[in-house]
Amino acid sequence: MSDSTINLAQVRRDLHAIPELALHEVQTQQYLKKTIAAFASDFLTIKEVPEVETALLVRLAGSNSEKTIGYRADIDALPIEEETGLPFASKHPGVMHACGHDIHMTVALGILAYFAKNQPKDNLIFIFQPAEESEAGGKRLYEAGALTGDFKPDELYALHDQPAMPAGQIATKKGTLFAGTTEIHLQIVGQGGHAAYPQQAKDALVAAAAFVSQVQTVVSRNVDPIHGGVVTIGSFHAGTIGNVIAGEAKLAGTIRAFTQADLEMMQKRVRAIADGIAVAFGVQMNLELIQGGYYPVENDPKTTAAFMAFMEEDPEVDFAEAQPAMTGEDFGFLLNKFPGTMFWLGVGDPKHSLHDARLNPDEQALNAGVQAMVAYFKQRMAQ
Ligand SMILES: CC(=O)N[C@@H](CCC[C@H](N)C(=O)O)C(=O)O
């Protein structure tokens, strides 16, 4: 059914080779612009957003529109050195599409290519959004007023690839799909000194170690076990050599929960623990907790019921009901503003999780994702 005019695997490989970090997606945006311009459709318009320079919005005017359907793809990559050894591996040292946003962009381009040739009944907008991994690109776009007027979606969709699922399988659920998250950034300032004279120093490394241990109690002692939650400290830097007491430590991490109320309670507990460490160790705790736009991803009941009913019934689609996941997504912010549905697309690499330097998605998922969404949008527009 899809007469996509693009070679999906080639597009994905081109994008995979040029990963860029949040808000620096310059080459990626150029590539997207060039590809979309080649669709040469007279009902297609492209919009750039001065406040979010690397974003790209595309609108296909419907032939007999009653509504505007939005589809969002995130475009940024992660600060990870790729270890796949693939011939089209990242050309950018230390940066990799290890979260599969190359897959997300390619599926979006595939859907766009189809409807650029086959005018949709309703308006379709495509949001190529920077900065999903950090810097809250979705919130930035919304606050810049980019999703207003002709670019205001009545309903909005997005996918995230999932290596643990078979390539091409689609999964989602009603209600909360992903957690809300909050980034932890902590600088601990103590007083360095000679390892032999700890009494003259304020050891930032020991204070940092105590902080890491104590925040483990937030999930084990403060969160209702039935609700679940995560506090992970993923980065810890302190000291230079074994016989010098560290005067400074820098930590980064993430807090996650399925409800905003739990997330805010956990933020308070992390702050309280930091305050306690400051007193106990005589150090300065410069703690920043940044939620940005990473609200829990709450799927809308109506669009999700329609989406699930379609995917369950379409014999071409391998559909499964999803469990909630502790991954975060700034699509949660956009779903707080517009009704819509986020779903997983399986990319069949069960040995490697998202954010693994060896992640190697199965490209068969590309066509399956495009086909399923083209079919769904066609049916949704007929209603
Ligand atoms: C799907 C995925 O992996 N998303 C990221 C989103 C990052 C949120 C934020 N920067 C944080 O770390 O809290 C994730 O790590 O889940």
Side-chain angles (χ1 to χ4, degrees):
M1 169 264 299
S2 163
D3 52 358
S4 173
T5 51
I6 56 172
N7 177 337
L8 295 172
Q10 188 56 53
V11 166
R12 182 261 159 168
R13 289 172 187 204
D14 292 346
L15 286 165
H16 186 83
I18 54 163
E20 295 163 296
L21 296 178
L23 302 178
H24 293 86
E25 305 93 339
V26 176
Q27 289 179 35
T28 305
Q29 189 204 44
Q30 282 302 325
Y31 185 91
L32 293 170
K33 267 200 245 179
K34 194 181 74 178
T35 307
I36 294 163
F39 297 157
S41 176
D42 56 9
F43 48 87
L44 183 154
T45 47
I46 294 185
K47 174 170 151 177
E48 294 193 42
V49 184
E51 298 87 344
V52 191
E53 285 178 9
T54 49
L56 198 66
L57 306 188
V58 182
R59 181 173 187 272
L60 298 175
S63 57
N64 185 20
S65 66
E66 290 170 47
K67 60 181 176 293
T68 299
I69 298 181
Y71 187 84
R72 172 275 210 171
D74 40 6
I75 70 170
D76 57 322
L78 283 161
I80 292 178
E81 183 70 36
E82 179 159 354
E83 292 172 20
T84 61
L86 291 165
F88 54 87
S90 170
K91 289 192 251 178
H92 297 169
V95 187
M96 178 188 174
H97 272 302
C99 202
H101 297 188
D102 50 341
I103 299 283
H104 303 181
M105 287 184 271
T106 306
V107 172
L109 287 171
I111 303 167
L112 177 44
Y114 176 85
F115 285 110
K117 263 182 99 179
N118 304 277
Q119 187 171 18
K121 180 189 160 295
D122 286 320
N123 306 314
L124 265 182
I125 58 169
F126 292 83
I127 304 164
F128 292 96
Q129 180 217 296
E132 183 277 327
E133 296 292 353
S134 57
E135 307 290 345
K139 181 167 186 264
R140 284 170 188 263
L141 274 179
Y142 181 84
E143 289 178 348
L147 305 178
T148 55
D150 277 357
F151 284 86
K152 179 177 180 296
D154 294 309
E155 54 192 75
L156 188 55
Y157 298 85
L159 69 78
H160 204 293
D161 66 307
Q162 177 48 268
M165 284 167 35
Q169 188 175 66
I170 285 177
T172 193
K173 66 180 285 295
K174 292 179 192 150
T176 310
L177 182 67
F178 294 166
T181 78
T182 297
E183 290 177 19
I184 301 171
H185 299 275
L186 174 62
Q187 180 206 30
I188 303 180
V189 183
Q191 174 63 59
H194 197 296
Y197 305 105
Q199 74 280 14
Q200 291 172 8
K202 304 272 184 217
D203 193 332
L205 188 152
V206 171
F211 176 80
V212 174
S213 300
Q214 289 187 25
V215 293
Q216 306 308 313
T217 65
V218 174
V219 173
S220 72
R221 300 296 88 185
N222 304 127
V223 175
D224 181 332
I226 308 300
H227 295 192
V230 165
V231 179
T232 290
I233 304 298
S235 157
F236 186 125
H237 294 275
T240 51
I241 190 169
N243 61 354
V244 174
I245 289 172
E248 187 192 48
K250 284 189 173 165
L251 280 65
T254 178
I255 308 172
R256 294 169 183 229
F258 287 126
T259 67
Q260 188 61 23
D262 276 356
L263 195 59
E264 286 172 17
M265 178 276 288
M266 293 167 77
Q267 291 166 359
K268 274 195 196 132
R269 290 293 305 132
V270 168
R271 266 197 197 288
I273 288 168
D275 292 346
I277 300 273
V279 174
F281 291 83
V283 293
Q284 194 181 317
M285 301 286 277
N286 298 324
L287 175 66
E288 255 193 305
L289 297 180
I290 305 171
Q291 178 162 11
Y294 296 84
Y295 294 169
V297 172
E298 301 280 357
N299 278 338
D300 175 72
K302 278 195 191 144
T303 59
T304 309
F307 181 90
M308 289 175 72
F310 177 84
M311 297 298 168
E312 272 161 354
E313 279 162 29
D314 186 339
E316 302 293 317
V317 176
D318 174 11
F319 180 77
E321 178 138 3
Q323 295 296 313
M326 278 292 173
T327 38
E329 246 290 353
D330 74 340
F331 196 60
F333 182 88
L334 296 178
L335 286 186
N336 190 259
K337 305 295 175 194
F338 309 105
T341 299
M342 175 151 235
F343 60 98
W344 290 113
L345 173 67
V347 290
D349 184 13
K351 287 198 182 136
H352 304 121
S353 67
L354 294 170
H355 297 195
D356 187 314
R358 297 158 299 170
L359 178 69
N360 183 14
D362 181 340
E363 290 170 340
Q364 287 185 53
L366 296 168
N367 196 44
V370 173
Q371 298 276 0
M373 288 312 289
V374 165
Y376 173 66
F377 283 156
K378 282 166 79 172
Q379 193 238 31
R380 192 82 185 134
M381 289 176 202
Q383 284 168 358

